[in-house]
Amino acid sequence: MELPPSHFPAARAAAVAVGYLRYLRGGPGRGLQLREVRSARRQDIDDVGHKYYLELELEDVLDKGSTVNCTAEVLYHLGSKTSAPDVQVTVQGELRSTEQADKEFYNRIRSLEKELEAENIPDSHGNVPPELEPIHLLAWAASGYVIWQNSTENTKFHLAQVKHVKQVKRSDEDLQFDYVLLLHEMVSQEVLPCGVSVLWHPQRGARVCHGPGSA
């Protein structure tokens, strides 16, 4: 069944797909966000659930002049409140390289004499200090995991703010940040605090090691 791209169910499924992709391909040097739902279709699969087929246009908040198209499939399991939607996303074209920015961020954090700690990103005026932008974008990637794992067909989550973040000292090569995120659930208008621990390395990307839905 074809859906108007502006239809609420299409927008909710798109938020899940973008959250999933943000977790897989986002990080301190890249912040993917939805620019437009190009097309949407829903298939009702007997005894399984509802599957959405989407064509999306995305942009990088650090490079808004360039966009990338992607196709996505989001399957919500029938009657399940605990299992995450199944998501498949295919990016058409190349995402901007973040290799240099990732290396600079990694070396800067590793060279700090004291572990990084910050709160209220963005602040009450919507401002993010430039030196904390990579920390904010890494939180975006982590929130993508939480959104994917905890979404249902009747929810739409959005990262409102990083309430608090603290770097955790480690003996290996990974960077670790413990976040308290505030997620805005757009349907109920609730703001939900969420604790997430994130590991990050330039070669391995972001990995949520503790948080809602993590192993």
Side-chain angles (χ1 to χ4, degrees):
M1 178 176 66
E2 293 291 330
L3 298 173
S6 59
H7 207 234
F8 288 128
R12 291 195 285 263
V16 176
V18 175
Y20 175 81
L21 184 62
R22 193 181 284 155
Y23 177 56
L24 290 185
R25 305 292 296 274
R30 178 187 292 135
L32 296 172
Q33 68 179 6
L34 180 67
R35 177 179 275 195
E36 184 183 4
V37 179
R38 289 279 184 83
S39 71
R41 182 166 59 88
R42 189 181 82 179
Q43 178 187 11
D44 297 342
I45 305 173
D46 289 345
D47 300 323
V48 177
H50 298 154
K51 192 170 191 178
Y52 290 80
Y53 299 85
L54 307 164
E55 293 184 9
L56 309 173
E57 184 181 15
L58 308 178
E59 66 182 7
D60 186 338
V61 295
L62 297 180
D63 185 22
K64 289 191 175 180
S66 65
T67 61
V68 65
N69 295 324
C70 78
T71 58
E73 298 178 9
V74 178
L75 172 62
Y76 295 100
H77 296 278
L78 211 58
S80 175
K81 294 248 170 76
T82 54
S83 62
D86 292 339
V87 183
Q88 293 182 345
V89 178
T90 303
V91 176
Q92 298 161 347
E94 289 295 316
L95 295 173
R96 175 182 57 83
S97 172
T98 63
E99 184 177 355
Q100 187 60 35
D102 286 348
K103 189 185 298 182
E104 289 174 4
F105 171 72
Y106 182 77
N107 290 337
R108 177 168 71 87
I109 297 299
R110 294 276 288 189
S111 67
L112 292 176
E113 292 183 6
K114 186 181 176 188
E115 284 73 39
L116 180 144
E117 190 167 3
E119 58 185 18
N120 299 330
I121 315 168
D123 64 20
S124 57
H125 302 290
N127 299 319
V128 178
E131 68 275 13
L132 292 178
E133 185 64 50
I135 296 293
H136 187 227
L137 292 176
L138 189 58
W140 257 32
S143 73
Y145 175 87
V146 178
I147 289 166
W148 162 44
Q149 288 289 309
N150 293 277
S151 288
T152 71
E153 206 167 356
N154 300 309
T155 60
K156 185 182 179 185
F157 290 103
H158 166 74
L159 176 62
Q161 188 184 50
V162 176
K163 191 64 184 167
H164 186 261
V165 57
K166 181 172 174 57
Q167 182 189 358
V168 178
K169 194 168 187 176
R170 294 179 64 88
S171 57
D172 59 14
E173 294 186 339
D174 285 332
L175 300 180
Q176 179 176 336
F177 299 95
D178 287 355
Y179 286 97
V180 177
L181 307 178
L182 296 182
L183 294 179
H184 181 199
E185 203 288 290
M186 314 286 274
V187 179
S188 67
Q189 291 298 311
E190 285 186 273
V191 176
L192 307 169
C194 169
V196 184
S197 293
V198 184
L199 301 181
W200 184 81
H201 187 277
Q203 265 83 53
R204 293 186 284 276
R207 289 152 292 146
V208 170
C209 58
H210 176 71
S214 64

